[in-house]
Amino acid sequence: MPAWTWFELTIALAYLAGAALYPLGLGLRQPLCKKAASLASALGFLLHTVDLAAAGLLQADVLQHGQFYISLFAWLCVLLFFVAWWRFKHDFLSLITAPLAVVLFTGSMVIHPATAIVPEHLSLLWFGLHVGAIFVALALLALAFGAGVGYVYLERKIKTKSKIPSALQEMPALDTLDRVNALAVSVGFPLYSISMLAGFVWAAFTWKRVLTGDPKEIVSLGIWVLYAVLFHQRLALGWRGRKPAKMAIAIFLLSLGSLVLINFLLPTHHSLRAF
Amino acid sequence: MSQRIHVIGLSHKTAGVDIRERFALAGFNPVAAGLTQEHGPITEAVVLSTCNRVECIVVGEPGADVAHIVHQIWAQTCNQPVELLTQHTYCLNGAAAVAHVFSVAASLDSMVVGEPQILGQLKAAYRSAVEAHATRVILNRLLHKAFSTAKRVRTETAIASSAVSISYAAVELARKIFADLSRHSALLIGAGEMAELAATHLLAAGVQRMAVVNRTFSRAEELAKRFGGQAYGFDALSQALREADIVITSTGSPSVILTASQMREIMRSRRQRPIFFIDIAVPRDIDPDANAIDNVYVYDIDDLNGVVEENRASRQQEAIKAQAIIDEEVQAFLQWMDELRLQPTIVALLDQGERIARKELRKSIRQLGPDPDPQVVAIMERLAHSICHKIYHAPITYLKRRTQEEGSAERFIHQARRMFNLDGETPPEDAHDDRKRSR
């Protein structure tokens, strides 16, 4: 196995250790175990940063590899987890982001590295904006998804007056989980919109057409409408709590489904694999 | 025989509050009271005196009637008959005493299992004992181990993670909803002992401010003054509800004071900010249907009682886990005590060996002539020293192992001391000549 693969395997294992040790620490009430989980995730993140930087520097055609995008998405999820940890003083979102990082990163390792799909004549600014913004928005949605699942669960427990299991006693409060949702909506939606806009501009440059009828385009527009509804209800009508939490869960699941189904299985110019 | 740890005390389990009051030892100084003395029967003491227990944790010399001495001084200090005291005290020693101290620190012996205050009280008792120079190596170690065991119990079990009183349960629920209470305000509607207690707990938990609504405005003002908040008349209830996040209601109203549809209206004007009702009135003040509205949480007295009961039951289960931790720590501590007990014997053994080696070495060096080669002398010194240590290695290891077996430490140390004659016993008159010469 080449050294490079070993390196990536180490990253995947570090993320895996982070994903496994955190729930174990919660269940066994061992703070050391949770600390070890955070350290493992941090190590994975550092190595992952090196991995991405090296890929960017060494491979001139890095933007043509689906592998790079998925890996970047995993990296952004972990980065945002650390930001959320610092911002909300709670590492609970590790329950969602760590397994997500494992799945995405190992997914990126499995994708055949020689897949060239993106047209070479990139209009870099628009394309970079398109891809960069969408991945940050998706990573924020991943956070909102985690917070949303936590919110729906905890809110149900409180409303029905049932006991919260001792392993979950340290869950963040409803208010904290709702603030994660607010962040994901207020920052994520503008980014998602920028990404869509940049995509259309890029399409106009490249294909001289704004809409190409690509399945990804149609689904993304649908998701954008849902996201816009959430954004509007949250900011204008003051939606809080369960409704936006559930909506964020739905939007993230749709986005993830669209990423897996469309980008990998359907013939589209957004494909991240060769046919 | 060696020093032993004793606990002589009374608690809510053995004495009623009137007895506990009469035998309280607040501010007791063991040195000043003559309980501990440098070469006396009791060398170390920590005295814990709280509203639920009074305990003397002491280290006594072997053979001393520690319980008797403690009872006498205790009764004398409190100016009460010693017979009355002995009726209510328990006297534990050795492993049982260590286990008891650990259980007390971990709050397993408390009236409300898992309550956090006792650890702080024990720490304060230890601090004042240290300041009075009433502790030495054994109690220092015992108390430090008790604190670390309590910490282990707290982190590794869920014994203290759930509230077991209505007020604490309400505060805990508020935290589950709002996280940081210092950014939220509370409202007290009506008054009553339990409602006021809940309000006090909320303020102690850091609630930003506490407003008060009452049918009698003067009463509202009086309470608001006490809690440092604002008073409202009953007609301003809607306005007060728009501002508050946590509401404690306890009015004597025969029907609900707030219906679900009124609450829906209020939620619109609150822009859906969450609100938590702690309804301790009977009959209830808040329409239970309000709980179905998004971001409205209504807990009545039965709900809170339910939470408390569940928590009590789960604390009992956690106490079983905690007991296992305590047993483990008690074993480790007793092992340390045995090693401590063994220490003088090890030192005496090695001393004896080195003394013999030096004596024989001097004899041998004399045989080398008046001016021996310093290199040879150095080699011989090393040889003698290392033979002595190697010979004693096996018996010392053997002793260490045997003393770890429960209850056998005393016997083996005694045998070893006799075997090597470490206590310099005089041989009897009729002893063999060889033995007399070996002295």
Side-chain angles (χ1 to χ4, degrees), chain B residues 161-376:
Chain B
S161 66
S162 47
V164 285
S165 76
I166 301 270
S167 313
Y168 273 117
V171 171
E172 209 167 80
L173 275 163
R175 283 215 179 95
K176 286 256 167 288
I177 298 168
F178 297 110
D180 180 8
L181 296 186
S182 67
R183 293 188 293 129
H184 299 275
S185 59
L187 171 68
L188 176 64
I189 307 176
E193 202 183 325
M194 208 188 275
E196 284 173 36
L197 188 66
T200 315
H201 277 308
L202 275 175
L203 278 173
V207 158
Q208 197 184 43
R209 64 195 161 82
M210 173 81 57
V212 182
V213 167
N214 204 298
R215 284 200 197 276
T216 330
F217 189 68
S218 58
R219 174 82 175 123
E221 273 186 318
E222 183 194 321
L223 281 171
K225 201 171 163 191
R226 176 133 67 92
F227 295 128
Q230 199 183 343
Y232 292 93
F234 215 76
D235 48 346
L237 182 62
S238 301
Q239 190 206 330
L241 281 174
R242 266 194 289 278
E243 289 163 12
D245 302 310
I246 303 160
V247 182
I248 308 162
T249 69
S250 165
T251 72
S253 163
S255 56
V256 293
I257 57 167
L258 193 70
T259 63
S261 59
Q262 282 170 321
M263 198 55 228
R264 248 182 224 108
E265 278 302 309
I266 291 170
M267 282 312 279
R268 259 193 287 279
S269 58
R270 287 173 62 85
R271 289 182 61 85
Q272 303 300 324
R273 272 188 302 119
I275 188 164
F276 173 37
F277 286 99
I278 303 157
D279 182 0
I280 34 191
V282 181
R284 289 177 289 187
D285 280 339
I286 310 294
D287 182 354
D289 289 345
N291 190 47
I293 304 170
D294 271 356
N295 300 313
V296 178
Y297 306 92
V298 183
Y299 270 68
D300 60 36
I301 188 80
D302 280 359
D303 299 331
L304 289 169
N305 267 330
V307 172
V308 166
E309 278 313 311
E310 270 183 14
N311 289 350
R312 280 222 176 101
S314 72
R315 274 193 185 198
Q316 290 306 330
Q317 279 178 349
E318 291 300 311
I320 298 168
K321 281 191 222 163
Q323 195 54 55
I325 295 175
I326 287 180
D327 291 346
E328 198 184 309
E329 294 288 342
V330 168
Q331 280 313 313
F333 184 81
L334 292 178
Q335 200 170 318
W336 174 81
M337 283 279 283
D338 286 340
E339 278 172 22
L340 186 74
R341 211 180 296 178
L342 187 59
Q343 209 56 37
T345 307
I346 293 177
V347 172
L349 263 180
L350 289 175
D351 262 2
Q352 186 191 53
E354 280 173 8
R355 218 173 35 245
I356 296 170
R358 266 197 300 276
K359 198 170 151 191
E360 296 306 314
L361 186 69
R362 271 198 303 276
K363 275 192 216 159
S364 307
I365 290 172
R366 268 204 299 276
Q367 286 171 14
L368 286 177
D371 196 17
D373 181 351
Q375 209 177 346
V376 173

Side-chain angles (χ1 to χ4, degrees), chain A residues 250-268:
Chain A
I251 295 174
F252 176 72
L253 288 178
L254 268 175
S255 308
L256 202 63
S258 125
L259 186 75
V260 173
L261 290 175
I262 299 179
N263 296 65
F264 286 98
L265 299 178
L266 289 183
T268 155

Side-chain angles (χ1 to χ4, degrees), chain A residues 68-79:
Chain A
F68 179 76
Y69 294 107
I70 303 296
S71 176
L72 181 71
F73 184 25
W75 183 83
L76 278 168
C77 282
V78 184
L79 174 72

Side-chain angles (χ1 to χ4, degrees), chain A residues 37 46 58 60 83 87 101 107 179 187 229 261-263:
Chain A
L46 275 179
L58 301 177
V83 172
R87 178 79 182 72
R179 275 161 61 212
V187 180
V229 170
L261 290 175
I262 299 179
N263 296 65

